[in-house]
Each structure stands twice: as C-alpha cells, then as structure tokens.
Amino acid sequence: MTRRGIQQMLSCFVPGALLFFSPMVVCSAATLDDLKQLEITCYVPSYLTKGLRLQNVEITYDEIQENEDQNHPLPLYSIRYGNGWNATFTIESAREGIGDRNIMEDEQNAEETEIKSPFGPMYLIYRPKGKDGRKDEIIANWVSDPNMNDEKAKGPDSHPLLGRFHGFSATGITVAEFTKIIQSLHPVGGEKSHTSTLTTNAAAAEKSPLKIHPKVFNMIDSWISDSESPVATEINLNAVEKNGNQFNEEGLREDGDWLTYSLSDTGGFMRYRVLDVKGNHYKIEYQENGGGTLTTASTIEFDIDKRHIRRNGSPMTIRVLRVSSYTQK
C-alpha cells in the first residue's frame, strides 16, 4: 500500500475506532489511486462522453455484523463524473440490503430497456420516453461482480467480504452514450483475478438472444410423474438475476442455438432455444434430461413485463415473465 493510502486508511480508524460504532465511516477526498489499494474490485470507465470529467471519489466503510470479523473493514466506493452543468455519470457500490433501483417517481414518462454489459444483461429505466435524445435521468439496476457471485454461491446466509453490487446512473446524456460508457467499464487496478470470468460472461450474453437461466423454465414444467403443466405462470426475473445460488451460472454454455445448463450431479441438462421474438413476446422450445435416456420437450410462449408489488410494506417495481401459452411435446 502506498504511503498516501496508509495515511488515508488511518484517518478512518484512528479517531475513536469509529468504524465499529457507526454503520458507515466516510473517507473524504479520495482518488482513483486510493481505490487501487482496496481489496474489493472497483470499476471505472475507459470511455466518457465528451465534457465529462472526474469530480469526486469517495470511500466509505459498511457496517460490520456481530458474527463477522470486527477487525476486517468492509469498504464501499462511489465515483462521480460531470461536465459542471447537467451531464453526470455516477457509480455506487453496496454489499447487502439492496433494493430495486429501476424506480422513478415520474413513471408515466419513463421507459425501460436492456443493454449488454461486461456483467451480462443490464436493465435500465430512463426518462423521458424515446430511444433518442438526452435523458433527464438514466438508472441501471444493481449488478453483482464475480466476487459477489462466488461468495453468494457458498450459501444463502453468507455475508460477502470481497463481493459488491454496483449501480450506475446518469443525467443529461443519451442511452447510447450511457451504453458505451457501461461497456467500457473495467477494474480500476487493471486485470484482476475475476476479469476473465467477467469477459466470458459478457461474451455469452452477446451470443444468447434471451438472457434467462434455463432453470426458470424448469419451474414452469411439472415433474415427469405429474400431468398438470404449467406449474408456475409468473416468475420474478429480478429475483432470478440476484439469486446466484439457485440460478448458478457455472454450468451455462452456448451450444449453437441452445442455451444449456448442465446438471453435474446427474449428467443431465436443461436447455432452450428461441423460436420467435416479437417485442417483449417470446416463443421458445425447452428440453430437459434428468441424466437418463428420456428427454422431455415443451413449447412455451411468454411476455416479459413490469409489475408493481409491495415488499416488506414498501412499493417496488419488478420484471416478470408471464406465461401465455404452453404445449407439451
């Protein structure tokens, strides 16, 4: 660690060890070089819209739970770029307790879309509506980095140490410009251990015409011993994206038109291919094999839509898959 980095960390710990008595301690006047000293992965863009300049870097420390190592600080970071007027691009990070970021007060004037990113598919909401023109506001939902995926795979009750969620927002730029910035993101310290995994996931996202884990369609099909399908007819895609234990991506691979998920414990597989797409309406063929000689198949049609619910008493908007047609072959 550089001398400057050591001095900055000490400024957070020395005054009464505030880290252990407050949910968060702020280290002000941080720099991008300071982010390189952190053990977490911090992302920065290699491309910025003309006029955007680095305005602020901030390092904070998350609350340490009672069952966690009290001597292991848990850093978070945020970065802000701006042009001194109305154009901004900001990066936030979180460790736990995240909510849906795809919410805007002026929802009637907002529109949602999906873009490709180094993290896989990324979902945006922006206003005003329309693909062209500068936007008053663009917000991307949280994405998890490879460290977060690895740590969450250890168990649903695990608390991440190195893994972080990352959120990206902008004002005063176009969706196309926002997309270009997102696709230029890379770790601030250069190539880290999980960068190759990040690149691999991005490449898979480029190939697949639909970015949904095959296990989603397993939830729609009934067991072979049962006769009534579909079982689930509406599925929360926000939960699918965040629940890395249930929807583990390690067994995913592209096989021609098929997106296949291999079942390592049985030698079987779940896979689907897209037959037709019209806007948000999809028609797919889904196949499943439990490891033997029998492969079942079905044709499923569905819409990807938005739904408003309340969770823990608070309103939120989620993306859902709604089944409209099911045919067993």
Side-chain angles (χ1 to χ4, degrees), residues 79-324:
I79 306 173
R80 178 183 173 88
Y81 300 89
N83 66 353
W85 187 40
N86 67 338
T88 64
F89 179 80
T90 58
I91 304 172
E92 302 173 77
S93 65
R95 188 173 73 102
E96 293 181 317
I98 62 172
D100 194 346
R101 300 179 84 245
N102 282 22
I103 297 176
M104 286 185 176
E105 291 185 5
D106 188 10
E107 191 173 287
Q108 298 300 319
N109 194 33
E111 197 168 55
E112 295 183 346
T113 191
E114 174 187 320
I115 65 171
K116 298 170 183 175
S117 82
F119 305 89
M122 181 180 289
Y123 303 98
L124 316 178
I125 186 170
Y126 58 85
R127 61 180 177 88
K129 293 181 178 180
K131 294 183 178 180
D132 301 325
R134 299 185 182 278
K135 302 304 173 186
D136 295 337
E137 189 177 14
I138 304 173
I139 303 175
N141 215 345
W142 293 107
V143 293
S144 55
D145 60 31
N147 283 326
M148 175 65 78
N149 294 334
D150 288 350
E151 289 178 314
K152 283 297 185 183
K154 296 176 182 177
D157 298 327
S158 62
H159 296 285
L161 294 177
L162 301 181
R164 297 294 182 268
F165 295 104
H166 306 264
F168 308 95
S169 308
T171 61
I173 65 175
T174 67
V175 173
E177 289 170 333
F178 183 86
T179 301
K180 193 170 181 179
I181 296 173
I182 290 295
Q183 293 176 346
S184 75
L185 290 168
H186 62 281
V188 69
E191 296 298 316
K192 294 193 176 183
S193 59
H194 280 294
T195 303
S196 59
T197 304
L198 201 63
T199 305
T200 300
N201 289 345
E206 290 283 338
K207 295 179 182 178
S208 177
L210 184 67
K211 292 85 176 179
I212 294 179
H213 200 291
K215 290 184 80 173
V216 167
F217 303 110
N218 167 262
M219 298 166 65
I220 296 172
D221 259 345
S222 67
W223 287 11
I224 296 176
S225 57
D226 292 328
S227 60
E228 187 65 25
S229 290
V231 178
T233 57
E234 181 173 300
I235 297 169
N236 180 353
L237 294 181
N238 290 40
V240 171
E241 293 155 15
K242 295 175 183 177
N243 295 351
N245 298 313
Q246 183 177 1
F247 301 95
N248 194 307
E249 296 184 358
E250 288 185 5
L252 286 178
R253 62 183 176 86
E254 297 280 347
D255 184 11
D257 293 335
W258 297 90
L259 181 60
T260 301
Y261 179 67
S262 300
L263 306 175
S264 58
D265 54 339
T266 65
F269 61 82
M270 304 172 188
R271 67 180 187 177
Y272 71 86
R273 61 174 179 169
V274 177
L275 302 177
D276 189 32
V277 181
K278 293 180 181 178
N280 290 330
H281 184 83
Y282 295 83
K283 181 180 181 180
I284 65 136
E285 179 183 358
Y286 172 69
Q287 294 184 357
E288 183 171 331
N289 182 291
T293 58
L294 176 64
T295 297
T296 60
S298 57
T299 301
I300 304 171
E301 293 188 49
F302 57 89
D303 296 287
I304 295 180
D305 207 346
K306 182 172 63 174
R307 182 180 174 187
H308 306 287
I309 67 169
R310 299 185 72 85
R311 185 174 68 183
N312 298 329
S314 300
M316 67 179 298
T317 303
I318 61 174
R319 293 174 64 254
V320 296
L321 180 154
R322 286 196 179 103
V323 176
S324 59

